[in-house]
């Protein structure tokens, strides 16, 4: 009897000690902090500009092949990766406003994929969402006319329930739009020299140097890594040869919220957001980007100096769980900028950049509310047979998009760029949200009222998506569908739609 009691007591003591140990490890484990620990010993890779040709109809034709490969991600050997036209990531597509483009996408992966043109205004059938699967060994050739302001867009897979893994393995690239009506001469614009794509992603590696898809213990948002790559380069530096360098920042991570700043706290000039240039430049000290968001910034450099682009703790910083488990407290050294001993002078930044016609809420045809909570939007998960919003072509709508709880989320919508009207708690809207946007961070228990115009394309049979751009959330159903119809039209989704996956 006494022996049993003793054993029971012993087990209890051991369990308590182990439990307390695990609890303490979870609670006291410091956030990730790589500041000062990154070697910056590799030149930043600049994705090549994708080759293109004009077909007999004058359309600009690109080819993309999605395939598996191997890349050196700083793990002392080869890491299995995926890429477009190469081992890892994809080339930069570039086209002018007004051009017709065609992209032949060949799927050489062993599973379905899609390619979505994030930020692009285009017909729903060309959008590359989960309704346009590309089967292994087949080619899909979406085509459309580029018709929107100069912008830094991007492309990535969007297959049913597989988006996080495919992007994480390396399927992502930039799509730059040039607008002949925009004065670029006064901004740095030499690709890879003073106008540089900066695609930032965090990766977790296992002991064999392979990409780990587990991420951090306790994460509610999917894979969080402790290494940050820029354009796939670990520990990168960029040689700067001009007095101003333009960085096209893209948060291409699947889950992590970055908060970019410079190591000495110096201000830099914010000139663009998701959908194009801002109406004027803004001096800022931080640019927080949630997954999928972009910002264009100009950094002024002095001859011979070095300054590091960092990511500081997430802003707004969120609750305890966000700081501890969703990476909100983590800090990273991202990219070292190394100025040459003599710098070619860049033109002064113009006081005015572009005209942004403001959309007028009093003309809105409809107002909707979308609350993002758990993995649902308005209490529902993605259902490819259900249309969540029917929008009339060539009308303007006001949507209030809100985070209903404490986990970080974002709002992203296909086809359109929106303007932010106000924050739900009345706090001022920062300069980053003063121009065209397609993705916005929804802080805990807060959100934004946004306005957008659904011009040009109606298709009652093919929905566009809106969703949280934390890709695991998207895969788990935090996504809805909208259909754009002609006035008086009704959606008519294909009855037995095969959505792949
Ligand atoms: Cu960048 Cu629906 O995605
Ligand atoms: Cu998108
Ligand atoms: Cu989310």
């Amino acid at each position: 009897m006494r022996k049993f009691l003793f054993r029971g007591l012993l087990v209890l003591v051991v369990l308590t000690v182990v439990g307390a140990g695990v609890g303490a490890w979870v609670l006291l484990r410091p956030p990730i902090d790589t500041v000062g620990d990154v070697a910056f010993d590799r030149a930043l890779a600049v994705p090549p500009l994708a080759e293109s040709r004009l077909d007999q109809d004058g359309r600009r034709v690109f080819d993309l092949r999605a395939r598996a490969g191997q890349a050196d991600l700083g793990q002392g050997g080869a890491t299995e990766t995926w890429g477009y036209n190469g081992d890892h990531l994809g080339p930069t597509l570039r086209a002018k406003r007004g051009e017709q483009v065609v992209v032949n996408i060949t799927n050489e992966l062993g599973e379905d994929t899609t390619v979505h043109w994030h930020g692009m205004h285009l017909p729903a059938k060309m959008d590359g969402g989960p309704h346009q699967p590309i089967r292994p060994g087949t080619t899909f050739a979406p085509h459309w006319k580029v018709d929107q302001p100069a912008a830094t867009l991007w492309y990535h897979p969007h297959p049913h329930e597989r988006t996080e893994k495919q992007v994480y393995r390396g399927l992502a690239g930039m799509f730059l739009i040039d607008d002949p009506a925009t004065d670029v001469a006064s901004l740095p614009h030499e690709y890879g020299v003073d106008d540089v794509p900066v695609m930032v992603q965090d990766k977790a590696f296992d002991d064999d140097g392979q990409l780990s898809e587990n991420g951090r213990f306790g994460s509610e948002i999917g894979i969080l890594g402790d290494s940050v790559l820029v354009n796939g380069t670990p520990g990168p530096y960029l040689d700067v040869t001009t007095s101003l360098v333009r960085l096209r920042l893209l948060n291409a991570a699947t889950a992590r919220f970055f908060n970019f700043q410079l190591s000495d706290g110096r201000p830099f000039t914010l000139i663009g957001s998701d959908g194009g240039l801002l109406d004027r430049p803004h001096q800022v000290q931080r640019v927080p980007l949630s997954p999928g968001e972009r910002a264009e910034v100009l950094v002024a450099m002095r001859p011979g100096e070095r300054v590091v682009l960092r990511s500081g703790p997430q802003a707004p910083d969120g609750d305890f769980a966000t700081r501890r488990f969703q990476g909100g407290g983590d800090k990273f050294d991202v990219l070292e900028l190394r100025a040459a001993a003599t710098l070619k002078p860049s033109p002064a930044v113009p006081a005015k950049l572009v005209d942004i016609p403001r959309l007028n809420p009093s003309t809105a045809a409809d107002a909707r509310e979308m609350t993002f909570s758990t993995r649902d939007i308005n209490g529902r998960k993605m259902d490819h047979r259900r249309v969540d919003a029917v929008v009339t072509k060539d009308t303007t709508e006001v949507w209030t998009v809100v985070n209903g709880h404490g986990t970080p989320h974002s709002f992203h919508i296909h086809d359109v760029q929106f303007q932010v009207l106000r924050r739900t708690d009345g706090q001022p809207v920062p300069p980053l949200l003063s121009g065209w946007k397609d993705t916005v961070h929804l802080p805990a228990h807060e959100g934004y009222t946004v306005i957008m115009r659904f011009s040009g394309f109606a298709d009652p049979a093919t929905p566009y998506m809106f969703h949280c751009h934390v890709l695991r959330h998207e895969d788990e159903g935090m996504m809805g569908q909208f259909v754009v119809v002609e006035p008086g039209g009704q959606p008519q989704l294909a009855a037995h739609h095969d959505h792949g996956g």
Side-chain angles (χ1 to χ4, degrees):
M1 191 59 196
R2 210 185 270 170
K3 207 168 158 189
F4 275 122
L5 255 179
F6 179 73
R7 276 199 192 157
L9 208 65
L10 196 70
V11 166
L12 198 71
V13 167
V14 166
L15 282 181
T16 309
V17 168
V18 168
V22 168
W25 173 78
V26 163
L27 293 177
L28 303 176
R29 182 187 53 161
I32 299 169
D33 182 354
T34 70
V35 169
D37 295 335
V38 173
F40 299 121
D41 53 0
R42 297 196 192 196
L44 175 70
V46 174
L49 286 170
E51 284 170 27
S52 63
R53 57 188 182 277
L54 295 182
D55 69 6
Q56 66 271 43
D57 301 323
R59 305 184 305 175
R60 185 168 298 285
V61 184
F62 297 94
D63 297 308
L64 286 181
R65 310 181 89 79
R67 64 164 177 87
Q70 293 192 326
D72 176 0
L73 303 185
Q75 298 300 302
T79 299
E80 309 276 334
T81 51
W82 285 5
Y84 296 109
N85 300 357
D87 290 301
H88 189 217
L89 302 174
T92 299
L93 276 59
R94 190 157 203 169
K96 280 189 197 60
R97 184 174 200 166
E99 269 185 324
Q100 299 275 349
V101 296
V102 186
V103 189
N104 297 309
I105 307 154
T106 303
N107 179 2
E108 295 177 356
L109 307 166
E111 62 184 59
D112 283 6
T113 190
T114 80
V115 179
H116 166 59
W117 317 101
H118 181 128
M120 194 78 73
H121 174 52
L122 79 183
K125 274 199 171 74
M126 309 299 168
D127 187 46
H131 292 271
Q132 291 92 38
I134 312 171
R135 308 292 182 207
T138 67
T139 298
F140 175 56
H143 54 89
W144 69 96
K145 180 180 176 185
V146 173
D147 189 13
Q148 63 194 87
T152 303
L153 310 185
W154 67 302
Y155 61 96
H156 63 78
H158 215 302
H160 183 61
E161 294 175 350
R162 300 278 297 166
T163 298
E164 181 196 34
K165 286 194 165 51
Q166 294 197 357
V167 173
Y168 182 69
R169 289 173 188 174
L171 294 179
M174 281 199 182
F175 197 133
L176 305 186
I177 296 180
D178 298 308
D179 184 347
T182 305
D183 167 30
V184 291
S186 53
L187 293 173
H189 60 275
E190 206 179 326
Y191 183 81
V193 176
D194 62 4
D195 179 358
V196 183
V198 177
M199 272 177 72
V200 187
Q201 299 177 300
D202 60 324
K203 301 290 174 195
F205 294 97
D206 65 18
D207 294 340
D208 301 323
Q210 300 305 312
L211 290 173
S212 160
E213 292 174 2
N214 302 322
R216 297 276 282 180
F217 176 84
S219 168
E220 273 287 303
I221 56 176
I223 307 162
L224 289 172
D226 49 14
S227 314
V228 169
L229 310 181
V230 181
N231 303 337
T233 311
Y237 65 85
L238 174 69
D239 284 321
V240 176
T241 55
T242 51
S243 62
L244 275 181
V245 61
R246 175 185 190 170
L247 305 178
R248 297 183 187 246
L249 301 170
L250 159 62
N251 180 349
T254 56
R256 186 174 286 287
F257 292 65
F258 290 107
N259 186 8
F260 295 108
Q261 46 206 273
L262 294 168
S263 48
D264 56 4
R266 78 176 66 174
F268 48 97
T269 309
L270 177 69
I271 59 167
S273 59
D274 301 339
L277 295 170
L278 303 179
D279 57 354
R280 64 180 181 87
H282 292 263
Q283 291 299 107
V284 297
Q285 274 174 299
R286 286 172 227 290
V287 174
L289 294 183
S290 67
E293 286 189 286
R294 288 86 69 207
E296 295 190 29
V297 301
L298 303 175
V299 180
M301 299 289 290
R302 290 180 292 262
E305 73 169 343
R306 294 182 177 195
V307 62
V308 176
L309 179 72
R310 284 190 182 149
S311 176
Q314 185 176 313
D317 61 352
D319 56 12
F320 174 80
T322 300
R323 292 193 301 275
R324 183 52 49 90
F325 299 113
Q326 322 314 339
D330 298 350
K331 294 185 204 147
F332 295 96
D333 269 353
V334 176
L335 170 68
E336 187 178 63
L337 303 175
R338 296 182 180 175
T342 52
L343 295 174
K344 201 172 135 211
S346 306
V349 185
K352 160 128 194 72
L353 296 169
V354 292
D355 279 317
I356 298 185
R358 303 313 302 188
L359 299 177
N360 181 355
S362 72
T363 64
D366 216 333
R368 302 176 201 266
E369 281 186 30
M370 302 288 173
T371 300
F372 289 64
S373 215
T374 61
R375 297 294 179 275
D376 301 341
I377 302 174
N378 290 350
R380 304 210 270 194
K381 287 198 195 314
M382 165 75 180
D383 180 342
H384 65 278
R385 293 157 305 187
R386 186 187 68 233
V387 175
D388 298 279
V390 181
V391 174
T392 304
K393 188 181 103 176
D394 295 326
T395 65
T396 299
E397 294 204 358
V398 170
W399 289 22
T400 297
V401 290
V402 179
N403 185 341
H405 65 154
T407 303
H409 296 294
S410 65
F411 168 72
H412 168 55
I413 185 163
H414 290 202
D415 181 44
V416 294
Q417 294 286 334
F418 55 79
Q419 294 174 353
V420 174
L421 295 172
R422 73 190 83 88
R423 210 177 120 126
T424 48
D425 62 358
Q427 280 190 42
V429 171
L432 182 66
L433 308 188
S434 68
W436 294 112
K437 293 288 293 170
D438 55 52
T439 308
V440 66
H441 174 197
L442 302 179
H445 306 288
E446 297 301 336
Y448 295 94
T449 299
V450 305
I451 185 167
M452 49 211 163
R453 187 163 178 82
F454 298 83
S455 57
F457 311 112
D459 180 347
T462 314
Y464 296 101
M465 305 293 130
F466 58 93
H467 56 92
C468 176
H469 217 284
V470 169
L471 297 180
R472 183 161 301 180
H473 292 178
E474 175 197 318
D475 286 340
E476 290 177 352
M478 199 171 227
M479 178 153 70
Q481 312 198 94
F482 71 97
V483 163
V484 181
V485 297
E486 297 289 351
Q490 290 296 319
Q492 289 156 351
L493 294 193
H496 299 286
H497 195 87
D498 185 355
H499 55 85

